[in-house]
Amino acid sequence: MPEGDTVWLAAERMRTALAGATLRRGEFRLPQLATVDLTGATVTEVVPRGKHLLVRLADGRTLRTHFRMDGSWHIYRSGTRWQGGPAHDVRMVLATDEWECVGYRLHDVELVPTAEEGRLVGHLGPDILGPDWDLEEALRRLRSHPADQVGVAILDQRNVAGIGNLYKVESLFLLGVNPWARVADLDARLQPLIERAQRLMRANLHHPEQNTTGDRRRGRDHWVFGRQGKPCFRCGTAILLGEQGPPLQDRVTWWCPRCQAARSPIDPQARTGEPGRPQPVTVYR
């Protein structure tokens, strides 16, 4: 699943290509929207909302897309050969006289009245990269579920919109927080944790590389993400990989068992499927 900074960068590039322009081609390659043609519509703006991308049109409609695991928008100069994958992976084409925005493997593609955007993204918490970011509201939402594991809670887009797995594990490591700690266990460390995730994401806004260490050498761009079995850069302990979250929604989690040792009697190798019911989980060493 892409991080919020990936969606932000995609929106920024599409805004440059489309905002203020009239579409000479607005094509859907999806059964549910196959008869819809956006040709002639004028794009007013392209904005990210958490991990959702919203293309707003002057006629009062909004196009919402989501990347999920494998979706992407590619932008080409008009007439340039597309290189984002086979033709059957193309879900949308938005083209102006100068640019062609091609959506590959897009998910959750919907076209709704702009006034009804709320039914698509209204459930989201404050957008950590948005102009209306509200830290206090994000903390209130997180603290309203004190028994939730923090590694699950900060990925819940209803609490904070935009944080993905990479920035989750990297921020938890930098703050020395065990992913299985309860939100209530963090006390004063909850706000610095969210602020650290935001700083890491903002540092990577204007380029596709997602470096969290500041070290540009190969293999040293992340503290724990993707480093299962490798030595921790701080203490040398082997980084662990496990699964965390309720069934069918679990995500892999990397952490250092020494730098992020549990500070309360919790099992760092357990996950919560239901409140108060820890379940065993495989930890890959």
Side-chain angles (χ1 to χ4, degrees), residues 23-61:
L23 298 176
R24 62 172 179 80
R25 185 179 178 186
E27 173 185 324
F28 292 90
R29 299 186 183 180
L30 297 158
Q32 67 271 27
L33 293 168
T35 61
V36 178
D37 186 358
L38 298 182
T39 301
T42 298
V43 177
T44 56
E45 58 182 341
V46 182
V47 298
R49 182 71 176 89
K51 297 183 179 184
H52 302 255
L53 193 146
L54 307 175
V55 179
R56 293 175 178 147
L57 306 174
D59 63 10
R61 291 181 294 175

Side-chain angles (χ1 to χ4, degrees), residues 4 59 66 71 83 85 100 111 116 126 136 150 164 166 175 181 187 201 223 245 247-248 251 279:
D59 63 10
H66 197 293
Q83 302 178 43
E100 295 176 342
L111 186 66
E116 297 180 15
E136 292 305 316
V150 66
L166 186 154
L175 270 292
D187 299 322
M201 295 174 75
W223 295 101
L248 304 181
R251 302 286 298 278
Q279 301 176 2

Side-chain angles (χ1 to χ4, degrees), residues 193-263:
L193 176 66
I194 301 304
E195 291 175 333
R196 179 60 61 93
Q198 184 183 56
R199 286 199 300 273
L200 292 175
M201 295 174 75
R202 285 180 171 172
N204 290 304
L205 277 183
H206 299 286
H207 49 79
E209 299 80 17
Q210 294 169 310
N211 188 299
T212 56
T213 64
D215 191 332
R216 301 296 176 182
R217 288 176 291 173
R218 184 179 180 85
R220 299 187 67 88
D221 50 347
H222 301 134
W223 295 101
V224 293
F225 182 82
R227 300 192 64 247
Q228 171 199 354
K230 296 180 179 178
C232 172
F233 291 140
R234 284 181 170 171
C235 72
T237 303
I239 299 299
L240 298 183
L241 170 66
E243 299 171 357
Q244 181 179 28
L248 304 181
Q249 299 178 34
D250 51 342
R251 302 286 298 278
V252 294
T253 293
W254 293 266
W255 80 102
C256 173
R258 181 174 180 182
C259 294
Q260 296 171 263
R263 299 189 181 185

